[in-house]
Amino acid sequence: MQKQLQKKWPTGKPHISFSEIKNWKECPYRHKLIYVDKIDVSEPSPYLDFGTTVHEGCETLLESRSINKEKLIQDIKGAWEKHGFDNPDWYGKQPGWYKHEPVDTWCGWAENMWNDVLVFLDNEFPNWQYVKAEEELYEPIENSQIKFKGFIDGIIKVPKKKGKGNLYWIIDWKTAKTYGWRREKKQDILMTAQLILYKHFWSKKHNIPLKDIRCAFVLLKRGAKPGKVCELVPVSVGPKSLERGNKIMHSMIKAVEKGFYLKNRNSCKFCPFYKTEYCL
């Protein structure tokens, strides 16, 4: 059954992820190059290495309310040394929007984030309790042979203000600029659909009513002053937004199955394939 399924689904995998859905929504042809043709033109990025390490620290803070900062800071410095992010030969070749900051500045940003996380959670979610960090989703998709795969950054629960029981919060950490996200980004369906689908499938996995689940991004702002680093961005997930999120997912599945890979010329600016041999 597994081999038969892999032949039917063009990517060769029996599942999809939100990042795959997002890539398809932004540009179906880019999705084809990455997931079907398996072409990798990605380059090392300080934002990626920084974000990965910050997420790791937040995960341990949720689990144990403690963190090995020394080890994580060394991870950041090791990535900078490995890829030469502080080397003028590297950052001199970056796009005009890229502003170079030395590794010590990035390490300071990470420490400020980790220092603020627990205080922020205690203020926003009094009496919160840890449920899970990096919980894997691998759930069947309705009316499809493939599954939805994802990892939820964090899940906590807080007592309901009225009545018995708990509210569960699905949290996704996002590193951001000093000022956070603009209003348009906070409301962009390509951002919110991630938590919409996480809530949908986590509810099914644990048989927890949707009304008892809340979702939010927690922005961790680079360069923000201590005490102002974290920002809660709640995502409302009602029947209409659930319908929109599922519609995007099912539209992607149908289009990929049929081999429809149109180019979205409005999505070229930050595309790694732009003006390469793969997409002229």
Side-chain angles (χ1 to χ4, degrees), residues 10-13 17 19-42 252 256 261 267 270-274 278-279:
T11 67
K13 299 182 298 182
S17 64
S19 60
E20 187 173 346
I21 297 170
K22 184 172 184 288
N23 261 295
W24 173 84
K25 184 65 175 175
E26 290 174 341
C27 179
Y29 189 72
R30 184 201 304 159
H31 172 273
K32 173 183 178 292
L33 293 175
I34 296 174
Y35 296 96
V36 179
D37 298 340
K38 313 295 184 184
I39 298 172
D40 184 4
V41 295
S42 59
M252 177 262 191
V256 173
Y261 301 112
S267 188
F270 297 109
C271 180
F273 298 102
Y274 182 51
Y278 306 107
C279 189

Side-chain angles (χ1 to χ4, degrees), residues 52-67 72 114 117 130 132-135 152-154 173:
T52 299
T53 306
V54 167
H55 273 66
E56 183 180 344
C58 291
E59 179 183 344
T60 62
L61 284 169
L62 272 187
E63 289 177 332
S64 62
R65 294 181 180 253
S66 64
I67 186 173
L72 294 172
W114 295 323
V117 162
Y130 167 76
K132 190 73 175 178
E134 282 295 300
E135 177 169 359
I152 300 176
D153 286 348
W173 312 104

Side-chain angles (χ1 to χ4, degrees), residues 77-97:
K77 291 182 176 180
W80 257 244
E81 183 176 354
K82 177 181 178 181
H83 300 300
F85 294 145
D86 269 345
N87 189 326
D89 290 339
W90 184 86
Y91 62 75
K93 298 177 182 177
Q94 301 311 302
W97 54 263

Side-chain angles (χ1 to χ4, degrees), residues 9-270:
W9 184 243
T11 67
K13 299 182 298 182
H15 58 260
I16 58 173
S17 64
F18 173 73
S19 60
E20 187 173 346
I21 297 170
K22 184 172 184 288
N23 261 295
W24 173 84
K25 184 65 175 175
E26 290 174 341
C27 179
Y29 189 72
R30 184 201 304 159
H31 172 273
K32 173 183 178 292
L33 293 175
I34 296 174
Y35 296 96
V36 179
D37 298 340
K38 313 295 184 184
I39 298 172
D40 184 4
V41 295
S42 59
E43 298 286 342
S45 165
Y47 298 104
L48 180 59
D49 284 296
F50 177 77
T52 299
T53 306
V54 167
H55 273 66
E56 183 180 344
C58 291
E59 179 183 344
T60 62
L61 284 169
L62 272 187
E63 289 177 332
S64 62
R65 294 181 180 253
S66 64
I67 186 173
N68 186 344
K69 289 183 185 177
E70 291 76 13
K71 184 264 182 188
L72 294 172
I73 291 298
Q74 287 306 312
D75 288 345
I76 293 176
K77 291 182 176 180
W80 257 244
E81 183 176 354
K82 177 181 178 181
H83 300 300
F85 294 145
D86 269 345
N87 189 326
D89 290 339
W90 184 86
Y91 62 75
K93 298 177 182 177
Q94 301 311 302
W97 54 263
Y98 180 77
K99 181 182 178 182
H100 171 68
E101 296 287 355
V103 66
D104 288 343
T105 298
W106 291 83
C107 291
W109 291 341
E111 288 203 64
N112 287 342
M113 292 172 181
W114 295 323
N115 289 341
D116 276 13
V117 162
L118 289 179
V119 175
F120 170 80
L121 291 177
D122 288 341
N123 289 335
E124 290 286 343
F125 308 105
N127 301 313
W128 67 273
Q129 292 180 305
Y130 167 76
V131 176
K132 190 73 175 178
E134 282 295 300
E135 177 169 359
E136 182 176 12
L137 295 173
Y138 201 73
E139 308 307 310
I141 297 174
E142 301 87 340
N143 303 315
S144 175
Q145 297 184 51
I146 62 174
K147 295 187 176 183
F148 179 85
K149 182 178 182 179
F151 290 90
I152 300 176
D153 286 348
I155 302 161
I156 61 174
K157 63 181 180 181
V158 295
K160 291 182 179 179
K161 293 181 180 180
K162 296 181 179 179
K164 297 181 180 180
N166 297 292
L167 285 177
Y168 294 86
W169 278 86
I170 292 174
I171 292 174
D172 193 86
W173 312 104
K174 298 290 188 187
T175 57
K177 295 181 179 180
T178 306
Y179 57 77
W181 287 353
R182 300 186 186 278
R183 181 180 178 183
E184 294 79 7
K185 187 170 183 177
K186 292 178 181 179
Q187 298 176 343
D188 185 355
I189 186 62
L190 276 186
M191 296 301 301
T192 59
Q194 178 182 8
L195 292 187
I196 290 170
L197 292 173
Y198 281 3
K199 175 175 177 174
H200 172 71
F201 287 110
W202 193 78
S203 169
K204 288 184 173 297
K205 178 179 179 179
H206 294 283
N207 196 29
I208 294 176
L210 291 169
K211 65 181 180 65
D212 291 337
I213 306 171
R214 301 288 186 271
C215 301
F217 295 109
V218 175
L219 304 187
L220 304 167
K221 296 180 281 189
R222 301 184 299 272
K225 295 180 180 179
K228 302 290 185 180
V229 173
C230 301
E231 178 185 350
L232 189 73
V233 181
V235 175
S236 177
V237 184
K240 288 186 178 180
S241 58
L242 274 171
E243 183 180 353
R244 289 185 71 191
N246 273 288
K247 184 177 180 180
I248 291 173
M249 177 176 63
H250 284 284
S251 295
M252 177 262 191
I253 293 171
K254 290 180 181 178
V256 173
E257 285 176 344
K258 294 179 179 179
F260 292 162
Y261 301 112
L262 299 177
K263 292 183 181 180
N264 179 11
R265 294 296 185 183
N266 294 320
S267 188
C268 292
K269 186 175 181 180
F270 297 109

